[in-house]
Amino acid sequence: MAFRTDPFSKGRKMGNPYLKWAFMQAAILGKRADPMLNAYFERLERKKGKHTANAIVAAKIARAVYFMLDRKTGFSVDQLIKGRR
């Protein structure tokens, strides 16, 4: 069977639910541990709401992990928040 898509996700694949859970946990724990990430999360939370802000931070962490593995580099909160450099 081909990849299932969620009818509400605008055609994007649902992905691995275990990885989604792991990155959501990383986002929740990361905002507790890092003041800069927490400040970014609070800005998002005011604009988008708590659950959406968690999902955005989790997606950013997932993207960062992919590029860390691809480029063999370390993690940087500055780069996570500000984007490409």
Side-chain angles (χ1 to χ4, degrees):
M1 180 177 193
F3 288 107
R4 283 184 40 210
T5 57
D6 184 6
F8 303 106
S9 69
K10 299 180 184 173
R12 292 173 286 206
K13 295 178 183 154
M14 289 172 65
N16 186 330
Y18 301 108
L19 282 176
K20 180 181 178 182
W21 174 84
F23 287 126
M24 287 294 277
Q25 292 299 312
I28 291 166
L29 295 174
K31 71 182 180 189
R32 280 191 216 164
D34 187 58
M36 194 187 309
L37 189 58
N38 189 32
Y40 176 71
F41 172 79
E42 287 174 357
R43 279 196 314 270
L44 277 176
E45 187 178 21
R46 280 194 301 274
K47 291 180 184 178
K48 306 281 186 181
K50 182 179 180 180
H51 300 293
T52 305
N54 276 335
I56 290 169
V57 173
K60 280 184 158 286
I61 291 173
R63 210 171 300 119
V65 167
Y66 171 80
F67 284 110
M68 284 169 40
L69 292 172
D70 187 49
R71 297 174 184 165
K72 297 175 178 58
T73 59
F75 180 75
S76 168
V77 175
D78 289 332
Q79 211 167 8
L80 178 79
I81 293 171
K82 294 177 182 163
R84 264 194 240 173
R85 283 197 182 183

